[in-house]
Amino acid sequence: MFVRSLYGDFTRTFSNVLFAVVLFLIWGVLTLIGVIVDQGKDPAIYFQSYAAPLARLIIRLGFDNIYHSPYYVGIIGLILLSLAVCTFKRVIPARLPPLRAVTIDKIPLHATVTVPGNPESVRERVERFFSSRGWQIRKKEFGGTEWTFADKHNWARRGVLVAHAGFTIIAAGTTLYWAKGFSGDAAIVTGQTVSIPRTHAALRLDHFSYTIKPIVTKSGMIYQPIDYVSRVTATGRDGVAQAATIRVNHPLNIDGTLYYQSSYGFAVRLGVTHDGVRAPGLSDRTYLSGDTLTLPGTERSVTLAQFIPTVDRQTGQPSADPRVNDPAIDLQVFDGGQPAGEALVPMKSWIDVGGGWRITPQRYFLVSGLQYRYDPGVALVGIGAFVLLAGLVISFYFLPARLFIRVERAPAGATVGVAAMTVKGYDIFEAQFAQLVGQFAEAT
Amino acid sequence: MKMPLDEVLMIVALGAYVVSALALLVYFFSREEWLRHLAIPLAIAGCVAQFAQLLARYEITGIWPLLNLYGSLSLFAAVSVAIFIIFAFRYNLWFAGGFVIGLAAIFLAYGVTWNEGTMPAVPSLQSYWAKIHVPLVVSSYAAFMVSFVISVLYLVKYYVGGTTGGLAYQTPQGTRAGAWFDAIPSLAQLDILIYRVVAVGLPLLTLGIITGAMWAHESWGAYWQWDPKETAALFSWIIYAMYMHLHTRNAWRGVRCAWVSAIGFLSIMFCYFGVNLWISGLHSYKI
Ligand code: HEM
């Protein structure tokens, strides 16, 4: 008994549109928090941007990663549950109102027209008039009076169902990605090959190029990137190596995983010598920004902070020009973990880092930053989105309406009483109803 | 120096809007029919000049002016006036014209301040999707601007006390403040007008978000990245989804729906400007 009443309360609440609106409101508020609070940043950033108690709150409540938080997933889960309950309890059972006799004057949208002719012929004219305008006609007798019922767009009652199904399909598609999909980044140095985790693919970067255009604007010189192109040799599951090109907006598909051009950078080959003798292990590598080399037998380490494409000749400082003109590297030296110095070292020149160690940036290589993603849910999400859109269009543009028409004998012919009902109330049909009745009166 | 054609057309459009908006504002209070007859051709001329301006800009620069606030605000103004004109002819909405066209003129004038000259697009924006996604999203914003104006008129009529009104616009009786609002369509009809315009905006916004996701799928590697612009658009979509569900209930149609629709447009403005100007992200095209 208790369980049954609990179940009753549950279905009543979850099928209530106002409950859905409350869920939407919570969904909206959570979404907005994610717009305002930067997502996925280091905790220190929140302490920089907000007062400490607020920053602590943001981190404790998981607002720094809200879209993957239990609340966010939970609210979408509740919306889906509510959608399911309401679909079975309300949307599917919603049918055409039964054919019945009504008191025409009691329905807010009603009109009475007197036309010449006997009731039979008038009924025929009524039928012809409305069916020629796309109304589906049915007739039934109640208490000796014949009623004519005209329906339009009755099929469009299913628009809600279609929209709701669309949202559910999108949710199914995104769940499929969570269950089976993956994504990641790969930085490939020109001439090198990387194998991509979780796939059977290997990519060799044969050549990378980029185009940057300096443009003078009102606010100064801007270096606008125009194009990034990676020429790669790709080997998929079949083991066949094939040449391919990846550029922005033109991803490469290898066995269903897509590879996107996402960034670029530089790697540097350093010559490392100790007392004039080349250190082979350290010299044969290419270093990316952030890479560190530890000098053997010392407490010292050297980090490649950054590759600088162009050093301003006059100031000797890095310039904003991202094209490679006068390249240099920014090296940071640490002693026992503590910063011991920093220097800008032009290519091919060298720097002494103490203890007889000397570092020479010898060559630079372009690095292509790729992003890869395997998402088996994309097709479902796409289909769901268009189904949802179709549901919206059906619901908005096809108004299911019913006319109740009664023809009665009158002294000068017949009176035609018409009343209208729609699934969206009366006001929405007011103008159209007046026009329809006007046309009918004119036609007869 | 000779002024380029696109700038001439922009000035023509702006001038036409300002005069048309003023005429319709005076018409709102005076019901002098000649003002309406003056304003309609001006609004149409301004709108045509704007579309011609967009084409001229493309002809001159070879780039569709869609990817910065200058271009998109100009399209926004043009489409909002276009949607308004269509609705005004269909539903006799001219009484709201002064407000809609006035707002369009303000947005257009603000957009002009963002004219930074021509810039080639960064690689991810060099896509045919720009020509599909941007106009759809901007058109949805434009529709929501029109529904916003009607919502505000609804709210003013509701609170100021204009209680009468039928299907169309009538002559005000008397001089009290509510009289002007008595003469515009009834609250019930205004509610339906809001619904009809949202019915244009929401499918457009949905399609705009879908095409944006398709573009992102092609260029960023994922159809949805939870980037601030995307999520702000989702937020607006949620508000209008709330509106749509509230509107299915008799008891909630009317003033509550008008509030939600008005707030919906504020969220659109936040998505349009707030995110571009205050919150950066992949999408932010502020230079
Ligand atoms: C994000 C998900 C949802 C979408 C996209 C959606 C879409 C729609 C659409 C397009 C309509 C037609 C509105 C109109 O004709 O003006 C509608 C109506 C409706 N929706 Fe939803 N909906 C969603 C979630 C929900 C939820 C969670 C419920 C749960 C109660 C719900 C219950 C209803 C009901 C009861 C109607 C009205 C049926 C009627 O009386 O005409 N919807 N929905």
Side-chain angles (χ1 to χ4, degrees):
Chain A
M1 195 61 208
F2 172 70
V3 173
R4 186 173 299 166
S5 96
L6 203 66
Y7 178 74
D9 285 346
F10 164 75
T11 51
R12 220 168 304 118
T13 309
F14 275 69
S15 66
N16 187 333
V17 189
L18 293 183
F19 179 70
V21 169
V22 172
L23 294 180
F24 274 123
L25 186 64
I26 300 171
W27 183 22
V29 170
L30 292 177
T31 304
L32 188 61
I33 290 174
V35 177
I36 294 166
V37 176
D38 244 356
Q39 295 292 291
K41 292 281 181 296
D42 198 65
I45 304 274
Y46 299 101
F47 282 95
Q48 269 168 30
S49 318
Y50 300 98
L54 195 56
R56 257 194 301 279
L57 198 69
I58 287 173
I59 293 163
R60 177 131 356 119
L61 294 178
F63 286 176
D64 55 336
N65 194 9
I66 199 164
Y67 301 120
H68 301 96
S69 67
Y71 330 110
Y72 206 82
V73 178
I75 194 72
I76 292 181
L78 281 179
I79 288 176
L80 285 168
L81 184 61
S82 166
L83 199 87
V85 174
C86 124
T87 299
F88 291 106
K89 219 175 125 94
R90 268 173 191 266
V91 179
I92 292 179
R95 260 172 254 244
L96 258 182
L99 301 185
R100 63 190 160 94
V102 293
T103 313
I104 292 214
D105 307 349
K106 289 236 171 88
I107 294 179
L109 270 189
H110 68 89
T112 304
V113 185
T114 306
V115 292
N118 63 41
E120 284 70 35
S121 72
V122 172
R123 254 183 228 117
E124 236 167 66
R125 269 184 276 159
V126 165
E127 193 175 330
R128 237 180 297 125
F129 176 83
F130 285 103
S131 62
S132 70
R133 280 168 174 71
W135 293 80
Q136 189 204 343
I137 304 292
R138 265 173 303 182
K139 290 190 217 157
K140 202 164 177 184
E141 218 179 274
F142 294 96
T145 314
E146 189 173 303
W147 283 80
T148 306
F149 302 93
D151 284 288
K152 200 160 193 178
H153 300 322
N154 192 40
W155 61 274
R157 280 166 205 272
R158 296 288 169 247
V160 181
L161 194 62
V162 174
H164 288 178
F167 187 73
T168 312
I169 298 171
I170 295 175
T174 48
T175 310
L176 202 57
Y177 171 71
W178 280 0
K180 294 227 158 111
F182 56 83
S183 62
D185 299 298
I188 316 179
V189 179
T190 311
Q192 293 188 355
T193 303
V194 296
S195 49
I196 306 295
R198 298 184 70 173
T199 69
H200 298 275
L203 284 176
R204 183 191 137 85
L205 181 64
D206 299 318
H207 183 258
F208 176 79
S209 61
Y210 64 99
T211 315
I212 285 179
K213 204 168 163 184
I215 295 166
V216 182
T217 68
K218 283 179 192 159
S219 37
M221 176 80 95
I222 282 180
Y223 295 94
Q224 184 85 335
I226 302 292
D227 202 8
Y228 307 126
V229 188
S230 297
R231 301 205 189 280
V232 296
T233 304
T235 313
R237 197 168 284 145
D238 58 7
V240 180
Q242 275 180 326
T245 302
I246 306 175
R247 65 201 309 168
V248 180
N249 285 325
H250 301 277
L252 172 67
N253 186 337
I254 310 175
D255 304 324
T257 302
L258 291 170
Y259 295 80
Y260 297 85
Q261 185 68 57
S262 70
S263 61
Y264 78 98
F266 298 89
V268 184
R269 177 162 308 148
L270 301 176
V272 184
T273 59
H274 185 227
D275 294 336
V277 180
R278 190 164 171 274
L282 299 174
S283 297
D284 297 337
R285 291 172 44 195
T286 45
Y287 294 84
L288 293 164
S289 297
D291 283 354
T292 294
L293 62 101
T294 308
L295 302 173
T298 71
E299 291 279 287
R300 295 213 145 191
S301 65
V302 179
T303 300
L304 172 64
Q306 218 185 337
F307 176 85
I308 305 206
T310 300
V311 174
D312 190 318
R313 286 210 183 129
Q314 268 149 22
T315 62
Q317 293 301 309
S319 97
D321 192 344
R323 295 167 300 173
V324 181
N325 297 318
D326 285 307
I329 56 172
D330 178 1
L331 282 187
Q332 289 171 343
V333 182
F334 294 88
D335 207 354
Q338 296 303 314
E342 181 168 1
L344 222 55
V345 189
M347 290 309 273
K348 307 265 194 235
S349 63
W350 51 263
I351 185 165
D352 239 323
V353 288
W357 290 92
R358 182 176 277 188
I359 295 180
T360 313
Q362 291 177 324
R363 256 191 91 178
Y364 73 88
F365 302 87
L366 280 159
V367 179
S368 175
L370 300 181
Q371 228 173 57
Y372 57 89
R373 187 177 172 92
Y374 171 68
D375 185 348
V378 168
L380 268 185
V381 172
I383 293 169
F386 282 101
V387 171
L388 167 56
L389 183 66
L392 281 177
V393 171
I394 296 170
S395 304
F396 283 148
Y397 290 97
F398 299 92
L399 177 67
R402 149 82 53 92
L403 302 177
F404 299 81
I405 307 163
R406 191 181 58 184
V407 180
E408 280 173 314
R409 191 174 298 283
T415 55
V416 181
V418 190
M421 281 186 189
T422 82
V423 295
K424 292 183 188 163
Y426 301 103
D427 300 315
I428 196 163
F429 200 58
E430 193 180 344
Q432 212 180 325
F433 182 71
Q435 194 186 17
L436 200 61
V437 172
Q439 283 170 350
F440 173 71
E442 218 168 87
T444 50
Chain B
M1 205 177 77
K2 222 176 114 211
M3 196 183 261
L5 178 63
D6 65 324
E7 289 184 21
V8 174
L9 286 166
M10 185 67 103
I11 292 169
V12 170
L14 205 50
Y17 287 165
V18 170
V19 180
S20 172
L22 287 176
L24 284 171
L25 278 177
V26 179
Y27 168 70
F28 180 80
F29 294 105
S30 70
R31 305 303 131 93
E32 295 276 358
E33 278 299 314
W34 68 270
L35 285 167
R36 189 166 68 99
H37 294 309
L38 169 74
I40 295 174
L42 276 174
I44 295 172
C47 193
V48 170
Q50 271 220 279
F51 283 107
Q53 185 271 339
L54 291 172
L55 283 176
R57 179 94 168 179
Y58 174 69
E59 271 304 308
I60 293 167
T61 64
I63 297 169
W64 283 107
L66 298 171
L67 297 174
N68 54 22
L69 269 181
Y70 168 72
S72 81
L73 271 170
S74 164
L75 187 64
F76 172 66
V79 179
S80 44
V81 174
I83 291 177
F84 172 74
I85 290 172
I86 294 169
F87 268 83
F89 274 121
R90 177 119 169 65
Y91 297 105
N92 199 8
L93 205 62
W94 296 107
F95 63 89
F99 307 100
V100 174
I101 298 170
L103 272 178
I106 291 169
F107 282 116
L108 184 59
Y110 176 59
V112 171
T113 67
W114 282 92
N115 187 0
E116 292 259 348
T118 55
M119 286 275 283
V122 297
S124 64
L125 297 183
Q126 296 165 18
S127 166
Y128 58 95
W129 283 112
K131 285 168 244 159
I132 303 171
H133 170 65
V134 178
L136 282 169
V137 172
V138 167
S139 303
S140 79
Y141 294 177
F144 290 135
M145 197 258 262
V146 177
S147 64
F148 170 75
V149 168
I150 309 172
S151 305
V152 172
L153 286 174
Y154 182 104
L155 292 171
V156 175
K157 175 160 178 152
Y158 182 85
Y159 291 110
V160 168
T163 47
T164 61
L167 279 172
Y169 198 33
Q170 302 150 358
T171 309
Q173 306 290 321
T175 51
R176 66 188 176 82
W180 286 299
F181 293 97
D182 281 345
I184 67 178
S186 66
L187 288 175
Q189 285 305 320
L190 287 176
D191 172 77
I192 296 302
L193 280 170
I194 300 168
Y195 181 79
R196 289 195 197 283
V197 189
V198 171
V200 174
L202 189 55
L204 282 174
L205 181 63
T206 309
L207 195 56
I209 294 176
I210 295 172
T211 51
M214 290 165 93
W215 183 1
H217 178 63
E218 201 171 283
S219 115
W220 295 337
Y223 56 81
W224 195 264
Q225 305 252 53
W226 298 107
D227 143 85
K229 191 82 172 179
E230 285 169 356
T231 35
L234 174 66
F235 174 65
S236 296
W237 188 89
I238 293 170
I239 295 193
Y240 284 106
M242 274 166 64
Y243 168 86
M244 178 180 82
H245 283 91
L246 285 176
H247 203 268
T248 65
R249 302 287 293 249
N250 284 335
W252 281 72
R253 277 186 208 126
V255 67
R256 290 167 177 142
C257 277
W259 271 112
V260 177
S261 146
I263 292 168
F265 183 66
L266 299 184
S267 82
I268 291 280
M269 287 294 93
F270 172 71
C271 175
Y272 198 175
F273 302 110
V275 176
N276 285 6
L277 304 179
W278 303 317
I279 300 169
S280 61
L282 290 167
H283 244 104
S284 203
Y285 43 68
K286 184 188 166 201
I287 356 174

